Amino acid sequence: MVFPRLLILFSVFTICIFGCKKEDEEDTVDLSPIVDSISPSNGGHGTQVTIKGSRFTLEGGTTTVAFNGEGAQIISVEDTMIIAIVPVRAGTGPVKVNNGDEPTLGPVFSYIYSVSVSTFCGDGTAGFIDGLATVARFNQPAGLDIDPAGNVYVADQKNHRIRRISPNGFVSSIAGSGLAGHLDATPAASKFNQPTGVTYDKINDKLYVADKMNHCIRLVQFNSVTTIAGTPGSPGYVNGAATISRLQEPNDVQVYSEDADLYIADAGNHCIRKFDHLGVLSTFAGKDQPGLIDGIGLSARFNTPVSISFDSAGYFFITDAANHNIRRVDLGREVTTVAGSGAPGFADGFTPLAQFDHPASISIVNGLGFICDKNNHRIRTLSITGNEVSTAAGSSTPGFVNGSASQALFNNPTGIVKAEEGVYFVSDAANHVIRKVTVE
């Protein structure tokens, strides 16, 4: 008969549907780990952290732990507890547990850096001497940059020169006669007037200088120094072709992209300018009016921006000195305040409540910034993922002392550059030296 056969087929079909549905439901069961707590919640590298929760082990899966994205060594793992070791230079950020299913983010671990400070070049006396690190002298060194070979470039402000420090610490002068003024010529004969910013174009092997009191941007090459933007000796605010453009006390310049577009912290005009590879100066963000406004392009306001740093995500980070905070600009020209209350002072902690006093320079990589907090005589750290500002080294007392973070003293640190993982160079302006900061 047809009917019984149809009934049997319908029954088999129904069983298949519900059986498959049950199997699908079982496949979608959440097996990701649950993180309830971590202890301790702060510490340096090597700290043993106990992570409590559930579903930490999964049959056929491999359990891993990361602090702020940095993989950690696991001492022991059970289904409800893991003991892991904080990796070196992890930074502040969430703890992540992965059992082979979906990873889970737990509480934020506040990383405490181990910092030591030493003198790299200079003897602490203002002057001008080339040579070995121990005898070399600077006069209020400012901006720094580094090339792929490890040579550090220094805008030696009051010596009106550009200096170079080899990896072994030997100092030489590569541009500037030492006389304040403006002269495009051979590097040895050229003249600068208080250069404060320097950037090395790693793609095109060129060196750019923010020549502050000449109100222009200079290009230093092997056999020549030339002016490429701004009108020497004529401060102003004019966009357009290089020959008519004007800047006012540009404090820093950074090169971005293969086209070698330049971004300028035009401090006296309170804005960020762009000098493109076609030789045209424009305003990228802000306007020639001081203020503190987040916004897009010309609607934003700065107050004496003095330093620019690019991170790997393509953001520009700005030390907005007279606003006493750190600003961020994306390629869509949107400006946001990422740290600082806007009032001068000193306070570590949650980024909106943190306080700076004329932050002078920033170096940021992968969401972790090191900042020269000039008038606080400190090196500060900024964790974007952890929304936290902390002190890496220095105190409110100016001085010249090497040692651990708690011992070290600076005097108006002004420029900073990352040399390698865990190593930074700082221009300690009022001490007339270049310091080395080792971070672990």
Side-chain angles (χ1 to χ4, degrees), residues 4 7 53 60 95 114 148 151 202 209 211 236 329 339 346 362-363 426 437:
L7 182 61
V95 173
S114 170
N151 296 297
K202 298 174 177 64
V209 176
D211 194 3
V329 189
F346 170 73
I362 181 170
S363 175
V426 173
V437 180

Side-chain angles (χ1 to χ4, degrees), residues 72-393:
Q73 176 189 356
I74 294 178
I75 299 300
S76 64
V77 56
E78 301 172 8
D79 198 51
T80 59
M81 185 173 73
I82 299 172
I83 298 177
I85 302 296
V86 177
V88 66
R89 293 185 290 272
T92 295
V95 173
K96 181 171 73 174
V97 177
N98 191 340
N99 63 0
D101 194 65
E102 291 294 325
T104 297
L105 292 179
V108 168
F109 181 83
S110 296
Y111 187 85
I112 299 173
Y113 287 93
S114 170
V115 178
S116 61
V117 179
S118 59
T119 300
F120 183 53
C121 283
D123 66 359
T125 303
F128 170 70
I129 299 177
D130 281 337
L132 297 175
T134 53
V135 300
R137 289 186 177 178
F138 302 87
N139 195 347
Q140 294 192 25
L144 304 174
D145 204 4
I146 193 166
D147 69 16
N151 296 297
V152 178
Y153 297 88
V154 184
D156 194 3
Q157 186 175 193
K158 290 300 179 71
N159 276 323
H160 313 291
R161 286 179 164 99
I162 307 304
R163 316 283 291 278
R164 180 173 59 204
I165 310 171
S166 67
N168 66 2
F170 190 87
V171 180
S172 58
S173 295
I174 62 169
S177 66
L179 298 175
H182 179 272
L183 179 64
D184 286 341
T186 63
S190 64
K191 291 182 181 180
F192 296 83
N193 193 350
Q194 297 186 36
T196 52
V198 61
T199 186
Y200 183 83
D201 180 352
K202 298 174 177 64
I203 296 174
N204 301 296
D205 192 28
K206 295 178 179 179
L207 190 69
Y208 296 96
V209 176
D211 194 3
K212 182 177 179 179
M213 298 314 296
N214 275 323
H215 313 288
C216 59
I217 305 300
R218 316 286 290 279
L219 169 62
V220 178
Q221 294 180 285
F222 176 74
N223 59 358
S224 66
V225 174
T226 54
T227 300
I228 61 169
T231 304
S234 298
Y237 178 67
V238 178
N239 288 320
T243 53
I244 64 168
S245 64
R246 289 194 179 186
L247 300 156
Q248 184 163 314
E249 298 185 11
N251 204 89
D252 192 22
V253 57
Q254 292 293 320
V255 63
Y256 185 82
S257 82
E258 293 184 3
D259 290 331
D261 292 332
L262 300 178
Y263 291 83
I264 303 161
D266 193 5
N269 281 321
H270 312 289
C271 59
I272 307 302
R273 313 286 287 279
K274 178 182 178 180
F275 185 73
D276 67 25
H277 59 284
L278 300 177
V280 177
L281 182 69
S282 59
T283 300
F284 185 71
K287 206 172 183 299
D288 61 334
Q289 299 168 358
L292 177 52
I293 300 175
D294 287 341
I296 297 175
L298 302 184
S299 66
R301 294 290 182 272
F302 299 87
N303 194 347
T304 320
V306 295
S307 174
I308 303 173
S309 179
F310 299 109
D311 77 352
S312 55
Y315 289 106
F316 307 0
F317 286 81
I318 315 294
T319 50
D320 197 7
N323 277 327
H324 313 286
N325 56 26
I326 309 300
R327 317 287 291 280
R328 182 174 65 187
V329 189
D330 65 21
L331 290 174
R333 302 168 66 198
E334 183 173 2
V335 179
T336 55
T337 300
V338 295
S341 67
F346 170 73
D348 284 335
F350 186 44
T351 48
L353 304 178
Q355 287 186 311
F356 302 89
D357 193 346
H358 286 84
S361 183
I362 181 170
S363 175
I364 189 160
V365 180
N366 297 327
L368 178 63
F370 280 76
I371 301 161
C372 287
D373 193 3
K374 183 177 178 180
N375 288 357
N376 276 321
H377 312 291
R378 289 175 165 95
I379 307 301
R380 314 282 292 279
T381 61
L382 166 63
S383 171
I384 298 300
T385 55
N387 294 316
E388 182 180 45
V389 174
S390 58
T391 296

Side-chain angles (χ1 to χ4, degrees), residues 392-407:
S395 77
S396 58
T397 302
F400 183 22
V401 177
N402 291 320
S404 66
S406 59
Q407 297 170 327

